[in-house]
Amino acid sequence: MISLVELNEKNWMDFAGLSVKESQKHFLTDNIGIIARGYVYRSSGARVIGIADDELAIGLVMVRNMDEDPACYEIQQFMIDRRYQGKGYGTQALKMILSELEKERKCDCVEVCVKMNDIAALHVYEKLGFADTGYIDEAVPDSFNLMYNFKKNEDKVSISEVE
């Protein structure tokens, strides 16, 4: 059963050793970088969350709060280990993350920047209701800026679907 796990001094190395396929490595930083990024952005509510199947570490995500307009949650890094891709874990984990953020509800939306050629990631985000905002960040002109709105997607991510 998929669960979201708080990283701590006992389990962080289990998640740090995970890796994506070679062809995906240019889409995100390695897991030590993701964990470090969570620490650096801690003043903006950043948290690095492990994704597990029972006790087995299978993925990692970093989420932070953004105060920019519009104020939203931002998924900066989201990965499923190469050995567990293509089995629905990413979709299920993302549903759980969205459900948790919606319960917390400090913001009404979630934003993610995805490389235009990362077809697999784009498919997962779009399947769950993320839509292209049309905004192109000058720092990453080869990326789509996708937004998930809790109000528009209330029927798409329900607790019953996650369990």
Side-chain angles (χ1 to χ4, degrees):
M1 175 185 262
I2 298 294
S3 62
L4 303 179
V5 178
E6 182 178 340
L7 266 62
N8 59 44
E9 63 276 359
K10 293 179 183 174
N11 68 9
W12 74 275
M13 286 297 292
D14 296 334
F15 294 94
L18 300 176
S19 180
V20 294
K21 297 174 184 174
E22 195 63 39
S23 62
Q24 299 168 318
K25 289 188 177 180
H26 63 280
F27 294 136
L28 65 146
T29 190
D30 62 33
N31 285 9
I32 293 293
I34 294 171
I35 293 167
R37 189 176 283 196
Y39 177 78
V40 169
Y41 287 114
R42 68 189 179 281
S43 65
S44 62
R47 53 199 175 244
V48 178
I49 303 162
I51 302 164
D53 183 13
D54 290 322
E55 299 293 317
L56 182 66
I58 64 167
L60 198 62
V61 63
M62 191 199 97
V63 178
R64 74 179 184 123
N65 305 335
M66 286 185 26
D67 294 330
E68 299 164 13
D69 191 25
C72 63
Y73 296 104
E74 179 189 34
I75 296 175
Q76 265 203 3
Q77 304 284 309
F78 178 58
M79 66 82 68
I80 298 295
D81 185 86
R82 66 189 180 283
R83 297 168 291 178
Y84 306 104
Q85 292 179 12
K87 299 178 181 183
Y89 290 128
T91 300
Q92 192 174 355
L94 188 55
K95 284 181 182 179
M96 293 176 78
I97 293 160
L98 292 171
S99 178
E100 290 299 313
L101 294 175
E102 185 172 24
K103 281 187 230 171
E104 184 179 287
R105 203 64 175 262
K106 290 180 183 173
C107 303
D108 289 329
C109 54
V110 181
E111 186 176 88
V112 64
C113 185
V114 182
K115 295 283 187 185
M116 291 175 178
N117 59 350
D118 191 350
I119 304 303
L122 288 168
H123 174 73
V124 171
Y125 288 115
E126 289 174 350
K127 178 168 57 171
L128 293 183
F130 282 78
D132 185 12
T133 65
Y135 171 76
I136 301 292
D137 186 336
E138 291 176 13
V140 282
D142 61 341
S143 298
F144 290 114
N145 190 58
L146 306 178
M147 182 83 60
Y148 179 92
N149 231 311
F150 291 121
K151 292 178 183 177
K152 286 184 183 176
N153 293 292
E154 286 174 343
D155 60 327
K156 292 195 179 184
V157 178
S158 68
I159 301 301
S160 62
E161 284 184 73
V162 172
E163 295 172 355

